[in-house]
Amino acid sequence: MIIKTPTKFFLVNGSSEGFSLLNAFDGALLASGVGDTNLVKMSSILPPSCEEIKPPPVPMPQGALVPTAYASLCSDVPGEVISAAVAIGISNDANRAGLIMEYSAKAEEKVVVDQVKKMVEKGMEMRNRGIKEIMAISATYKVVTIGAVFAAVVLWD
Amino acid sequence: MIIKTPTKFFLVNGSSEGFSLLNAFDGALLASGVGDTNLVKMSSILPPSCEEIKPPPVPMPQGALVPTAYASLCSDVPGEVISAAVAIGISNDANRAGLIMEYSAKAEEKVVVDQVKKMVEKGMEMRNRGIKEIMAISATYKVVTIGAVFAAVVLWD
Amino acid sequence: MIIKTPTKFFLVNGSSEGFSLLNAFDGALLASGVGDTNLVKMSSILPPSCEEIKPPPVPMPQGALVPTAYASLCSDVPGEVISAAVAIGISNDANRAGLIMEYSAKAEEKVVVDQVKKMVEKGMEMRNRGIKEIMAISATYKVVTIGAVFAAVVLWD
């Protein structure tokens, strides 16, 4: 393997106003406690036996390269409600991977959370894999001028 | 170097229906044999002397972080034909890198494959580098409700 | 940590015409000296005490996986002016991370550079972190048929 497989994970969320769309995203990362790391986006599997760290190591080592599955949304429409959520389906077989799904929309938080959980259920069905537990985390924000939401599963070792 | 340079590669493809756009994408990854790994998208070079693995190690180690150059397309337009393809131009000088190109479109498979091969030819021309061989893989799908196609060069070690 | 934290960085820029949007992007990478590497995009922090390499190691080792924060823009509108820029805010405290921002637009280079520097200032303000220096690099291009611009902070070790 080229990159070490993660053995730990944690969930974070945040939202922020910002000077630009990217500054708002950056602010949402800061609010999540991962704002001084380098997120590397990946498609979305929880390795078997990956353990939750609680509380998460926030702040993280500065500048670390961190594989992360995340949902985010930025908006510059004042008054708009934006929400982002991630969910993990933990396999009931400890030797099988879990599935992470991400969803974001210009919608209320509950809508987005319900959708991302259904996405996990359907994805685990597709694998014929039983679900022990679904974990989820979400963020919602009503934009003042420019805003962003962020929800993530951060993989760690 | 921060991350080890890959020494092996393989080609995969797949398509799927799904509950959401992301579920369809996930299904296409499963159909490709890489659905339980964490793909890390990268811009698109085949390291010199990188060797093809045949058959590919499917299924892959669950949850592994896997650098991958891929083309994909999702659609929720019933009846729409979607296609994705990747091609590799292998250098005729074993000490020089090969070039990977990705292309996807709402088009027939042949159109997409022809285009991605031309893209490889032009990219190798730009490098003044001769082509020993062009390898390509593609996927095509006619959407029922929500569908996705995926074609990839997976780097490995 | 799963991936080693980078200790060096350098700035590059480039622009190019191309056969397709992706070929133009590839050409801009080649013009930047990183065209034969595998860029892995990341969110945008300069690790504390990360040192600039001058001149950059161009060409880079072929096929290497390289974490990079970049701005780019492609266009197939003849005559259009496109610009991309990245800036780094170096912390005045050597133990704190710097912030990288990326911006691109269909606009003159000066507009894009001014904006990306402001984004860095605002992001460092949000961290209550003083700025020792802002470094920036940019690319601009007037499209003939299909063109691309690219500006990047490449992390290295």
Side-chain angles (χ1 to χ4, degrees):
Chain A
M1 258 165 284
I2 293 162
I3 306 172
K4 198 176 172 186
T5 300
T7 59
K8 310 267 192 299
F9 76 96
F10 55 92
L11 301 171
V12 290
N13 61 351
S15 62
S16 179
E17 197 67 11
F19 164 72
S20 70
L21 295 169
L22 185 56
N23 282 280
F25 176 72
D26 178 52
L29 296 191
L30 283 172
S32 303
V34 296
D36 277 327
T37 62
N38 283 308
L39 304 184
V40 178
K41 193 161 191 165
M42 47 164 229
S43 77
S44 309
I45 296 299
L46 189 76
S49 307
C50 204
E51 277 176 46
E52 193 182 9
I53 308 175
K54 231 173 177 171
V58 168
M60 306 273 289
Q62 295 175 76
L65 290 159
V66 182
T68 304
Y70 64 85
S72 73
L73 196 59
C74 301
S75 167
D76 55 6
V77 179
E80 196 160 61
V81 171
I82 52 176
S83 302
V86 291
I88 314 175
I90 310 283
S91 171
N92 57 13
D93 176 347
N95 298 315
R96 307 302 294 275
L99 176 64
I100 305 168
M101 283 278 166
E102 309 95 31
Y103 186 64
S104 62
K106 295 168 182 178
E108 296 295 328
E109 191 164 21
K110 189 186 177 321
V111 174
V112 169
V113 172
D114 287 353
Q115 172 70 2
V116 81
K117 285 182 176 174
K118 258 187 237 162
M119 290 164 65
V120 162
E121 286 170 11
K122 298 290 183 182
M124 290 295 270
E125 261 176 52
M126 214 179 231
R127 287 166 170 77
N128 295 315
R129 200 169 298 167
I131 296 174
K132 182 186 169 195
E133 178 192 358
I134 294 183
M135 304 173 68
I137 194 164
S138 56
T140 192
Y141 188 69
K142 189 169 179 176
V143 177
V144 181
T145 307
I146 301 176
V149 285
F150 174 79
V153 181
V154 182
L155 298 187
W156 197 241
D157 189 69
Chain B
M1 259 166 284
I2 294 164
I3 306 173
K4 198 175 170 187
T5 300
T7 58
K8 310 267 191 298
F9 75 96
F10 56 91
L11 300 171
V12 291
N13 61 349
S15 61
S16 179
E17 197 68 11
F19 164 73
S20 70
L21 295 168
L22 186 55
N23 281 280
F25 175 72
D26 179 51
L29 297 191
L30 283 170
S32 302
V34 296
D36 278 327
T37 63
N38 283 308
L39 305 183
V40 177
K41 191 159 192 166
M42 48 165 228
S43 77
S44 310
I45 296 299
L46 191 75
S49 306
C50 204
E51 277 177 45
E52 192 182 10
I53 307 175
K54 230 174 179 171
V58 168
M60 306 273 289
Q62 295 175 77
L65 290 158
V66 182
T68 304
Y70 65 84
S72 74
L73 196 59
C74 300
S75 167
D76 55 7
V77 179
E80 195 161 62
V81 172
I82 51 177
S83 303
V86 289
I88 314 175
I90 310 284
S91 171
N92 59 12
D93 175 348
N95 297 315
R96 306 303 294 272
L99 176 65
I100 305 169
M101 284 278 166
E102 308 95 31
Y103 187 65
S104 62
K106 297 167 182 179
E108 297 295 328
E109 191 163 20
K110 190 186 176 319
V111 174
V112 170
V113 172
D114 288 354
Q115 173 70 2
V116 81
K117 285 183 177 173
K118 256 186 240 166
M119 288 163 66
V120 162
E121 286 169 10
K122 297 291 182 180
M124 290 294 269
E125 261 177 52
M126 215 182 229
R127 286 166 171 77
N128 295 314
R129 201 170 296 168
I131 296 174
K132 182 186 168 194
E133 179 191 357
I134 293 182
M135 305 173 68
I137 194 163
S138 56
T140 192
Y141 189 69
K142 189 172 181 174
V143 177
V144 181
T145 307
I146 301 177
V149 285
F150 174 79
V153 181
V154 181
L155 297 187
W156 196 241
D157 188 68
Chain C
M1 258 166 284
I2 294 163
I3 307 171
K4 198 176 171 188
T5 300
T7 58
K8 309 266 192 298
F9 75 95
F10 56 90
L11 302 171
V12 290
N13 61 349
S15 62
S16 179
E17 197 67 13
F19 164 71
S20 70
L21 294 169
L22 186 55
N23 281 280
F25 176 71
D26 179 51
L29 297 191
L30 283 171
S32 302
V34 296
D36 277 328
T37 63
N38 283 308
L39 304 185
V40 178
K41 192 161 189 164
M42 47 164 230
S43 79
S44 310
I45 297 298
L46 190 75
S49 306
C50 204
E51 276 177 46
E52 192 180 11
I53 307 176
K54 230 173 180 173
V58 168
M60 305 272 291
Q62 295 174 77
L65 290 159
V66 182
T68 305
Y70 65 84
S72 73
L73 195 60
C74 299
S75 166
D76 55 7
V77 180
E80 195 160 63
V81 172
I82 51 177
S83 303
V86 290
I88 314 175
I90 310 284
S91 171
N92 58 13
D93 175 348
N95 297 316
R96 308 303 294 273
L99 175 65
I100 305 169
M101 283 278 165
E102 308 94 31
Y103 186 66
S104 62
K106 296 169 182 177
E108 297 295 330
E109 191 164 20
K110 189 187 178 319
V111 172
V112 170
V113 172
D114 288 352
Q115 172 69 2
V116 81
K117 285 183 177 174
K118 259 187 235 164
M119 290 164 65
V120 162
E121 286 170 10
K122 298 290 183 181
M124 290 294 270
E125 260 176 53
M126 215 182 231
R127 286 165 170 77
N128 294 315
R129 201 170 295 167
I131 296 174
K132 183 186 168 192
E133 179 190 357
I134 293 183
M135 304 173 68
I137 194 164
S138 56
T140 192
Y141 188 69
K142 189 171 182 175
V143 177
V144 180
T145 307
I146 300 177
V149 284
F150 174 78
V153 181
V154 182
L155 296 187
W156 197 241
D157 189 69

